[in-house]
Amino acid sequence: EPEVTQTPSHQVTQMGQEVILRCVPISNHLYFYWYRQILGQKVEFLVSFYNNEISEKSEIFDDQFSVERPDGSNFTLKIRSTKLEDSAMYFCASTPGDGTEAFFGQGTRLTVV
Amino acid sequence: AQSVTQPDIHITVSEGASLELRCNYSYGATPYLFWYVQSPGQGLQLLLKYFSGDTLVQGIKGFEAEFKRSQSSFNLRKPSVHWSDAAEYFCAVPFSGGYQKVTFGTGTKLQVIP
């Protein structure tokens, strides 16, 4: 069964460093998303991406965040200068079309120290 | 504003007992509705979904959910809970309108006691 894959599963980084979280969405999907879940809190929408551009972003997704689809398979989330409060589980998701179910990856746990 | 509400933050049930997790949504039209489960240390797994048609939907792991338009609810049920069902459960609604996102409820953490 096709699945969304995320790498790495766990990343530890020092405050102020840049990190790139990687995702391979399901191959025929058109919409891509990043969500995050701070420990003990709800899953929060960060950004959606369609047709090679951001289609919507939340207030969390400020200038330190960026997303990219560098090739036909990968979808990345970059955090330019990490802060302690960026520590969270980051989920990538993809959907084939409008309003259909989102398939989530297993997540990348980011720890900023 | 569109929203999803899960009134129960934490529920404890005995193994073998029945389970119902509540979900209410606020949306102008009939939405698509989903339930996801997150086991400890794991990602989000889709349990079931409602798009249209039969309001009682069956999912994986013996779960079912019923869409009730009059109550704006989509409650998740299981007739007999297993210890492995201990997890956090999220109701979710995708809101479309030229762009995509899924809005999650705050989650209900299920504890199963022997």
Side-chain angles (χ1 to χ4, degrees):
Chain A
E1 185 177 328
E3 60 180 17
V4 176
T5 57
Q6 291 185 242
T7 54
S9 57
H10 191 184
Q11 182 154 358
V12 180
T13 189
Q14 287 196 323
M15 190 169 54
Q17 295 297 304
E18 175 184 285
V19 295
I20 297 176
L21 309 183
R22 303 182 189 280
C23 170
V24 179
I26 295 173
S27 62
N28 63 341
H29 285 191
L30 301 176
Y31 298 84
F32 314 111
Y33 316 83
W34 283 101
Y35 290 79
R36 79 172 184 190
Q37 184 182 30
I38 294 172
L39 188 63
Q41 299 186 23
K42 66 185 289 187
V43 179
E44 302 172 290
F45 168 79
L46 289 178
V47 65
S48 59
F49 191 87
Y50 171 70
N51 200 25
N52 285 319
E53 60 182 23
I54 290 173
S55 48
E56 189 183 4
K57 58 184 181 180
S58 72
E59 62 275 9
I60 303 167
F61 194 87
D62 61 24
D63 290 344
Q64 70 161 342
F65 290 94
S66 62
V67 289
E68 193 178 32
R69 189 157 162 82
D71 52 44
S73 59
N74 292 285
F75 179 53
T76 61
L77 173 69
K78 182 192 289 186
I79 309 175
R80 288 190 184 83
S81 178
T82 50
K83 303 191 287 284
L84 294 176
E85 54 265 38
D86 294 327
S87 295
M89 180 77 92
Y90 288 81
F91 292 104
C92 173
S94 66
T95 67
D98 189 21
T100 53
E101 70 224 61
F103 291 80
F104 284 82
Q106 292 298 100
T108 293
R109 180 165 295 284
L110 176 65
T111 303
V112 182
V113 297
Chain B
Q2 299 156 336
S3 65
V4 180
T5 303
Q6 293 180 248
D8 306 305
I9 297 172
H10 194 176
I11 284 184
T12 300
V13 299
S14 298
E15 191 169 14
S18 64
L19 171 71
E20 181 168 27
L21 303 183
R22 297 183 290 167
C23 172
N24 295 97
Y25 67 89
S26 170
Y27 189 62
T30 300
Y32 301 145
L33 293 157
F34 307 116
W35 276 98
Y36 285 87
V37 60
Q38 184 181 27
S39 298
Q42 301 297 310
L44 292 159
Q45 182 182 23
L46 181 69
L47 276 178
L48 48 78
K49 61 190 179 189
Y50 171 77
F51 282 174
S52 65
D54 193 347
T55 56
L56 184 65
V57 294
Q58 303 296 321
I60 62 172
K61 304 184 181 187
F63 285 92
E64 66 179 25
E66 186 171 12
F67 170 62
K68 293 185 178 180
R69 185 194 305 274
S70 61
Q71 298 176 19
S72 297
S73 68
F74 188 57
N75 294 347
L76 181 71
R77 301 195 294 247
K78 187 169 184 178
S80 178
V81 169
H82 188 262
W83 64 266
S84 60
D85 294 325
E88 190 153 19
Y89 292 81
F90 295 93
C91 183
V93 188
F95 295 122
S96 64
Y99 47 80
Q100 305 289 312
K101 69 177 180 180
V102 178
T103 295
F104 286 88
T106 49
T108 298
K109 189 163 289 189
L110 174 66
Q111 182 181 11
V112 181
I113 56 176

